[in-house]
């Protein structure tokens, strides 16, 4: 709606009729049938409401609210070695191998000492940046700390969500519907045991070796001269169904959306292109599993490595990730493909 444009070949003397027509279109509510989810999320533009929400955010930061986390508002290649550091007032020479909000609190203490509520405001969160540094010391990217914050709060009996620096009003009934639809696909899978390593490739190899599964991490089934498509990270077959397991570390919103799309891209390619299917069979090199692949019997399993309690199920995911997962689930149902999510216990100390 913010970037809506239209053009018309109408002459000036038809301007009144054109305006009437536009007003008529504006009053229509047919979009509710075409985009039913659109009603559940409304951008907040009222400055007075935003000011109150910003106060809630600062209070949440000071109270160390569990509803406030830091994330990277971009897709990050988890296979590369990346270090993170904060800057703004002065350069901080502390480097971290993961993003954690207490690291930013440490940075504030380094900059201004033991801070109080009066020391923290929105301008400061916009001034300070979270930076990404590659192995060679080059800065990859930089984001204002405010844009890295994910926060949920209640204000005047309404639910609000902060993402990428923008506030959204989330309809509570929509949240309840998301939960009722998604929680049932969160399942336990003991074979996907706890993660003890920081790099995904080590975890994939460990699980593949332990369960005699096939590791397909960094492989490719795309068509010639097209963007690489990884079929999955881990694969095995059970009851004549090929299980495609996609693994992702952390519940970062952008990473999860990428994960869910990755699973869909793979299944769409396998269902529509014989070249992709033949590539997968060649990678698998197992007659029994190849027969199941030929029969188009697939199941998608998303494994999300997180320290959050598994009992919370879909509540562990950021709101926009839940929406992305809901769309993925609907598409899988159209394909007749079962989809499930496993929360894998992250036992790596990522606070250091």
């Amino acid at each position: 709606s913010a970037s809506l444009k239209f053009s018309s070949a109408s002459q000036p003397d038809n301007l009144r009729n054109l305006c009437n027509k536009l007003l008529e279109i504006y009053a229509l509510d047919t979009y509710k049938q075409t985009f039913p989810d659109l009603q559940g999320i409304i951008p907040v533009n009222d400055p007075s409401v935003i000011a109150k929400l910003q106060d809630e955010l600062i209070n949440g930061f000071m109270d160390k609210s569990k509803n406030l986390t830091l994330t990277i508002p971009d897709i990050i290649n988890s296979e590369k070695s990346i270090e993170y550091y904060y800057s703004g007032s002065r350069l901080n020479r502390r480097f971290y191998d993961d993003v954690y909000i207490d690291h930013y609190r440490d940075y504030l203490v380094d900059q201004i000492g033991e801070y109080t509520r009066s020391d923290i405001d929105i301008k400061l969160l916009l001034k300070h940046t979270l930076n990404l540094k590659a192995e060679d010391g080059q800065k990859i990217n930089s984001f204002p700390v405010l844009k890295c914050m994910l926060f949920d709060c209640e204000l005047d009996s309404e639910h609000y969500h902060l993402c990428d620096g923008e506030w959204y009003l989330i309809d509570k009934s929509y949240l309840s519907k998301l939960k009722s639809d998604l929680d049932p696909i969160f399942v336990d899978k003991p074979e996907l045991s706890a993660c003890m390593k920081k790099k995904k490739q080590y975890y994939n190899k460990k699980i593949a070796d332990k369960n005699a599964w096939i590791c397909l991490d960094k492989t490719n089934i795309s068509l010639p001269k097209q963007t690489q498509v990884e079929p999955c990270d881990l694969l095995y077959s059970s009851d004549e169904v090929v299980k495609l397991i996609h693994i992702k570390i952390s519940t970062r919103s952008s990473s999860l959306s990428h994960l869910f799309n990755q699973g869909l891209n793979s299944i769409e390619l396998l269902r529509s292109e014989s070249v992709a299917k033949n590539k997968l069979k060649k990678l698998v090199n197992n007659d029994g599993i190849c027969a199941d692949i030929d029969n188009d019997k697939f199941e998608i399993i998303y494994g999300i490595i997180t320290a959050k309690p598994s009992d919370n199920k879909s509540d562990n995911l950021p709101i926009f990730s839940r929406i992305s997962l809901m769309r993925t689930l609907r598409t899988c149902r159209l394909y007749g493909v079962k989809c499930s999510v496993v929360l894998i216990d992250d036992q790596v100390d990522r606070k250091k």
Side-chain angles (χ1 to χ4, degrees), residues 237-238 240-242 284-295:
S237 185
S238 176
E240 300 183 342
V241 177
V242 180
V284 167
N285 194 26
N286 179 294
D287 290 341
I289 297 179
C290 287
D292 294 336
I293 293 173
D294 281 331
N295 290 331

Side-chain angles (χ1 to χ4, degrees), residues 290-313:
C290 287
D292 294 336
I293 293 173
D294 281 331
N295 290 331
D296 279 337
K297 295 181 178 180
F298 298 103
E299 177 181 343
I300 297 177
I301 301 171
Y302 293 111
I304 302 172
I305 299 171
T306 176
K308 296 178 181 178
S310 59
D311 290 346
N312 289 348
K313 297 187 176 181

Side-chain angles (χ1 to χ4, degrees), residues 7 13 24 59 85 92 179 185 188 195 201 328 330 339:
S7 60
D13 59 1
E24 178 186 336
N59 291 335
Y85 65 96
N92 184 357
K179 184 173 179 61
I185 72 169
D188 293 325
C195 176
Q201 64 263 35
T328 298
R330 289 171 181 167
C339 175

